[in-house]
Amino acid sequence: MNKSMRNRAFTATALALAVSTVLTACGGGDGTSSDTKAAKDSPSAKPAAVKDPLVATFDGGLYVLDGESLKPAKTIELPGFNRVNPAGDDDHVIVSTDAGFRVLNAAEQTFTGITYEGAKPGHVVRHAGKTVLFTDGTGEVNVFDPADLAGGKKPEGRTYSSAEAHHGVAIELSNGELLSTLGTEEKRTGALVLDKNDKEIARNENCPGVHGEAAAKDEAVAVGCEDGILIYKDGTFTKVDAPDDYGRIGNQAGSDTSPILLGDYKTDPDAELERPTRISLIDTETAKLRLVDLGTSYSFRSLGRGPHGEALVLGTNGTLHVIDPETGKVDKKIPVVDKWQEPLDWQQPRPTLFVRDHTAYVSEPGKRKLHAVDIESGEKLASVTLPKSTNELSGVTAGH
């Protein structure tokens, strides 16, 4: 970091402290040394609360950023590879570390005492007012109301233990049904559904390599397979086959305003890293799948949905593609970052898309930058250069 950048960082920190009398397979560092240092370095007064905070990970810590200006409010040391997801309320995010899921109050820029311990904390899913954590190393599922995080104590919630530990995902529906994946460490096969009393009511094991989830309009939920996608709606599973023998849809993005899911699409089971140019659009009402070639590759952190259900894909050509999910037409191309290439190691940084309301937030680790773009106008709202290159990017989501 050069001298002027250090001065700007110092000035921003000093300003935050000056106004502090008013009133974040998939894990990372354990954060023990971070907590000790934070306790030693923290001022006696709380820092000023950040409105609509974003949280970006970097090698060795987290940046808590102002949601409008993108300026860093606080840097939190946290060794290791860490992941971050919205907790589902106005203040908190879930940080996946080597020790388990930890809850960060991003608005107040401090870790709470809430931890869901377990090896390999994996997917975090928000749906119908509930947040669901899946711990891959144990197969444990934890469900809670994110509003209950406000008290600083672990919420009372539902728990479920998978028959065997695996890299999985779970989602609770508005009627209390819980869909959770089936598998072992060696093989994943499909999903089951439990009623609100934890009685199994449905099962489908015709989804090899099951991975990822998304929810569409009218509470159609889906998980990806290596040969298509599996939809659960109104108590019934429906398999939508891929047009290829191997057509993997491992990552999906849904919208409550659209019956159509956005998914990635890979066709080479032997590739060290396939860089596909086609995306999939799956209609949960008709069980039809459409493929759209964007003419550029993308990564698993490239998918999102806009405020009106638009399908969003950040391409390696540096452009954010705004796609009409009904027609598959690319309605808009918004240049955001320089051209980039997806790294072979999935844990390595690459431009990442996080969408909130009408704003697309895009990281550019090659330049240590972060950008905010208005999805409808294409206008770049803000940009910031950070001290270190970021990896994952997320933020609070309630009320958005």
Side-chain angles (χ1 to χ4, degrees):
M1 189 191 304
N2 61 39
K3 183 177 180 181
S4 62
M5 195 175 295
R6 284 197 299 269
N7 289 340
R8 288 198 298 272
F10 176 79
T11 301
T13 303
L15 179 60
L17 295 178
V19 297
S20 63
T21 52
V22 295
L23 252 240
T24 358
C26 296
D30 62 17
T32 304
S33 61
S34 167
D35 288 344
T36 304
K37 185 178 188 303
K40 183 174 66 176
D41 292 352
S42 293
S44 57
K46 290 183 179 180
V50 178
K51 188 174 186 292
D52 296 331
L54 301 170
V55 178
T57 69
F58 63 88
D59 186 10
L62 311 168
Y63 292 123
V64 181
L65 309 159
D66 181 276
E68 184 174 350
S69 69
L70 306 185
K71 292 180 180 178
K74 188 170 183 179
T75 301
I76 300 173
E77 291 189 11
L78 190 64
F81 174 72
N82 303 293
R83 309 201 71 186
V84 61
N85 285 279
D89 68 352
D90 284 321
D91 299 321
H92 299 85
V93 297
I94 307 293
V95 182
S96 303
T97 74
D98 281 343
F101 295 104
R102 298 183 63 190
V103 179
L104 175 72
N105 187 325
E108 297 185 358
Q109 307 123 66
T110 184
F111 275 104
T112 69
I114 303 171
T115 301
Y116 291 84
E117 296 181 352
K120 301 178 182 177
H123 286 264
V124 179
V125 175
R126 300 158 312 285
H127 179 72
K130 295 293 177 64
T131 300
V132 184
L133 312 178
F134 195 104
T135 302
D136 294 349
T138 62
E140 184 176 76
V141 175
N142 284 278
V143 185
F144 60 87
D145 183 339
D148 294 338
L149 295 172
K153 295 181 180 179
K154 182 181 288 189
E156 293 185 8
R158 179 180 189 174
T159 61
Y160 165 70
S161 293
S162 305
E164 293 193 55
H166 64 282
H167 179 45
V169 67
I171 180 172
E172 186 175 275
L173 281 65
S174 58
N175 62 3
E177 293 179 357
L178 180 71
L179 182 149
S180 190
T181 52
L182 292 163
T184 67
E185 289 186 0
E186 291 77 32
K187 185 179 181 181
R188 303 191 301 274
T189 57
L192 57 73
V193 179
L194 308 175
D195 68 12
K196 61 184 179 181
N197 299 312
D198 289 338
K199 177 185 176 182
E200 183 176 324
I201 57 173
R203 173 184 289 246
N204 186 296
E205 296 190 58
N206 184 28
C207 184
V210 59
H211 186 271
E213 58 68 42
K217 185 178 180 181
D218 297 328
E219 210 167 34
V221 299
V223 290
C225 316
E226 291 178 348
D227 57 0
I229 200 163
L230 186 64
I231 299 170
Y232 180 75
K233 183 180 179 181
D234 298 330
T236 302
F237 278 110
T238 301
K239 176 68 177 293
V240 181
D241 292 324
D244 299 276
D245 290 338
Y246 182 89
R248 183 177 189 267
I249 303 174
N251 300 278
Q252 312 89 34
S255 169
D256 291 340
T257 65
S258 172
I260 299 172
L261 297 171
L262 166 66
D264 56 3
Y265 192 74
K266 294 185 175 182
T267 58
D268 185 355
D270 301 318
E272 181 179 13
L273 175 67
E274 184 176 351
R275 296 185 171 96
T277 61
R278 291 184 295 175
I279 52 98
S280 55
L281 296 170
I282 306 98
D283 192 321
T284 60
E285 293 181 340
T286 64
K288 299 292 185 182
L289 185 154
R290 175 204 304 264
L291 297 177
V292 178
D293 197 326
L294 299 178
T296 181
S297 63
Y298 55 91
S299 89
F300 71 96
R301 292 190 191 148
S302 292
L303 308 181
R305 300 303 289 264
H308 308 296
E310 308 97 318
L312 306 175
V313 181
L314 178 67
T316 56
N317 60 356
T319 297
L320 181 65
H321 299 74
V322 183
I323 305 160
D324 182 337
E326 297 283 346
T327 65
K329 179 186 175 184
V330 179
D331 287 337
K332 194 180 306 178
K333 294 182 179 181
I334 306 173
V336 185
V337 298
D338 286 348
K339 292 182 180 180
W340 54 282
Q341 185 178 57
E342 182 180 6
L344 290 176
D345 183 350
W346 73 271
Q347 292 188 355
Q348 290 301 306
R350 80 285 311 282
T352 296
L353 172 68
F354 172 65
V355 182
R356 189 168 63 191
D357 292 340
H358 297 259
T359 304
Y361 300 93
V362 179
S363 65
E364 190 170 14
K367 289 188 170 183
R368 309 196 319 276
K369 287 183 177 292
L370 183 64
H371 311 282
V373 176
D374 185 279
I375 296 168
E376 286 158 322
S377 70
E379 176 189 1
K380 188 170 284 189
L381 304 173
S383 290
V384 68
T385 301
L386 298 168
K388 294 185 178 182
S389 295
T390 59
N391 198 337
E392 294 220 341
L393 175 65
S394 192
V396 303
T397 55
H400 292 281

